[in-house]
Amino acid sequence: MACESGLPECVQQAVQLFQQWRAHPDTNPISPALRQYMYCTAVREGSESDWFFVLTRYRQETSPGEKNLLLRALPCSSDVWILSTLLDMSLEHTDIKRDDATGMIGWVAKNPAGNRLAWDFVKHHWDVIIRHFAQSPSRLKTMLRAFIAAQTELGIGEQTLRQAVETVEFNIKWYKDSYPQLVQWLQDKGYFEFQGAETTST
């Protein structure tokens, strides 16, 4: 997409259409087929006020498809404070659902303005992240792969990251193979009551 590569004409059009939308929020002039790229471009090139407009629209949106497009635009910002705020939001589960949290961290990691920030955030909050997503190891794997993609910019040893992904993949296999049996055994022994225990898909 031309906007992703920074083609001036595309960037200018994205910003103009986005500002038209801001001026008349009930009428979105951006084609649905182009919104993923144009939202991201407008947020990347825009102000803090533009970002908050997208966040507000995300909070108000009822269509799952449009809501996802708005969510994916939020980590496109070049503002480090905004990206830091997003990372904090990813663990609060108020605006950003638990299912989207590791995705958000990964999206920030793919942003050149946020890859180091996201890596430091994950290192600092690793224990919390593990607790939050103990039953979603596949999401952890996806998040770590985002850091592999940003490995050159981060200066992190690729082998270190790949070992982390392999560890998560092993945990996924263990979880799928062993967790249901473990739950059943604990239930049979009367230790815990598990409600709707589910296995995790990759």
Side-chain angles (χ1 to χ4, degrees):
M1 179 65 188
C3 285
E4 286 185 306
S5 60
L7 187 69
E9 293 84 355
C10 185
V11 171
Q12 183 179 11
Q13 183 184 32
V15 171
Q16 287 178 346
L17 290 174
F18 182 82
Q19 293 304 324
Q20 290 177 26
W21 184 30
R22 283 204 62 182
H24 304 283
D26 293 334
T27 305
N28 189 341
I30 303 174
S31 167
L34 299 177
R35 287 178 184 177
Q36 177 179 345
Y37 307 103
M38 289 200 165
Y39 286 175
C40 185
T41 300
V43 168
R44 185 182 68 242
E45 301 294 326
S47 64
E48 183 178 310
S49 176
D50 292 327
W51 184 84
F52 273 107
F53 173 79
V54 173
L55 178 62
T56 299
R57 297 295 301 195
Y58 166 75
R59 288 168 171 166
Q60 297 172 344
E61 184 58 55
T62 57
S63 166
E66 180 69 9
K67 196 174 185 72
N68 184 61
L69 292 176
L70 293 164
L71 178 70
R72 293 293 298 267
L74 292 172
C76 294
S77 174
S78 301
D79 188 310
V80 172
W81 177 83
I82 285 175
L83 297 176
S84 180
T85 298
L86 267 179
L87 291 171
D88 290 336
M89 289 168 60
S90 71
L91 296 184
E92 293 170 358
H93 307 312
T94 50
D95 286 310
I96 299 174
K97 297 184 298 183
R98 183 183 294 266
D99 287 350
D100 294 323
T102 51
M104 179 58 69
I105 296 171
W107 298 330
V108 172
K110 291 179 180 178
N111 182 339
N115 49 34
R116 170 59 64 180
L117 186 70
W119 178 243
D120 290 341
F121 179 85
V122 167
K123 288 191 295 182
H124 184 71
H125 296 283
W126 183 247
D127 289 344
V128 176
I129 290 170
I130 289 296
R131 287 200 303 272
H132 279 220
F133 305 105
Q135 296 186 23
S136 304
S138 61
R139 293 193 176 94
L140 288 176
K141 181 177 71 172
T142 300
M143 180 188 71
L144 288 170
R145 289 194 182 282
F147 287 110
I148 289 178
Q151 177 260 339
T152 301
E153 291 82 358
L154 288 169
I156 305 166
E158 183 175 357
Q159 185 62 26
T160 299
L161 285 171
R162 292 198 180 279
Q163 286 175 348
V165 172
E166 288 172 3
T167 299
V168 172
E169 288 175 337
F170 174 81
N171 290 338
I172 291 172
K173 186 178 187 306
W174 180 90
Y175 188 85
K176 291 179 67 177
D177 293 346
S178 305
Y179 186 73
Q181 290 84 356
L182 176 61
V183 169
Q184 187 61 54
W185 185 83
L186 290 171
Q187 286 178 322
D188 291 345
K189 296 295 183 181
Y191 289 119
F192 297 106
E193 290 294 331
F194 286 83
Q195 299 296 326
E198 297 177 352
T199 58
T200 301
S201 60
T202 55

